[in-house]
Amino acid sequence: MNINRDILQKEVFYKTSRSGGKGGQNVNKVSTKVELLFSVNDSVLFNDDEKVLLNDKLQSRFNKDGLIQVICDEDRSQYMNKQKALERLIGLLAISLHKPKVRKKKGISKAYNAARLENKKINSAKKKAEELNLISRLLFKPI
């Protein structure tokens, strides 16, 4: 699934706040922490089936308002944090929309079947040899 980044960027909302961590005095002045909010139900990017699939798979990511929430405060730059949060959202959506291939049950391969039959022949020959050895020992038992 190829998600159109430009349309997605128009549909997301950003909240910014002051971030903890590295940055020195800049941390106390600049709002670099980014909280990205995205509404699956209001999106024009996805059809109804995809929206149902996203709602099921991303249930744990929804906040109380029913929006997907992605938080990023790794960088000192608000712009970089917005970009990373958008990338994470695109990754989440792509993973959630991925449908695994249905495995087609196939028969036993010819090589496997040949190896199995060969193994059966070998075991059969071993058992016959053991049986003959036992019979010969019983018949020709020294007195």
Side-chain angles (χ1 to χ4, degrees), residues 115-133:
R116 184 181 64 84
L117 291 175
E118 185 64 30
N119 196 20
K120 283 178 77 168
K121 285 179 187 175
I122 291 170
N123 284 336
S124 175
K126 279 184 199 174
K127 287 184 179 183
K128 275 188 181 176
E130 287 175 10
E131 189 176 308
L132 287 175
N133 191 10

Side-chain angles (χ1 to χ4, degrees), residues 75-140:
D75 282 316
R76 296 181 188 189
S77 155
Q78 186 183 96
Y79 175 77
M80 290 301 295
N81 283 335
K82 282 183 179 180
Q83 295 302 317
K84 284 188 178 182
L86 191 63
E87 288 298 321
R88 286 182 191 167
L89 178 66
I90 290 171
L92 274 173
L93 296 174
I95 289 171
S96 299
L97 290 173
H98 175 73
K99 294 180 184 173
K101 285 185 178 179
V102 178
R103 184 181 180 275
K104 296 177 185 175
K105 188 174 181 181
K106 297 200 174 192
I108 298 171
S109 70
K110 289 180 182 178
Y112 176 80
N113 202 22
R116 184 181 64 84
L117 291 175
E118 185 64 30
N119 196 20
K120 283 178 77 168
K121 285 179 187 175
I122 291 170
N123 284 336
S124 175
K126 279 184 199 174
K127 287 184 179 183
K128 275 188 181 176
E130 287 175 10
E131 189 176 308
L132 287 175
N133 191 10
L134 181 66
I135 290 173
S136 66
R137 278 191 288 156
L138 287 175
L139 289 177
F140 302 108

Side-chain angles (χ1 to χ4, degrees), residues 30-79:
V30 182
S31 297
T32 57
K33 181 178 181 178
V34 173
E35 181 180 345
L36 181 145
L37 300 169
F38 175 68
S39 175
V40 173
N41 297 326
D42 297 337
S43 177
V44 296
L45 281 173
F46 309 111
N47 60 33
D48 292 336
D49 295 335
E50 291 173 334
K51 287 179 183 179
V52 169
L53 186 65
L54 287 171
N55 281 325
D56 289 342
K57 288 195 175 180
L58 295 175
Q59 191 66 40
S60 64
R61 288 292 217 157
F62 288 128
N63 64 9
K64 63 183 176 191
D65 300 325
L67 303 172
I68 294 177
Q69 183 176 18
V70 179
I71 298 173
C72 184
D73 62 350
E74 294 174 2
D75 282 316
R76 296 181 188 189
S77 155
Q78 186 183 96
Y79 175 77

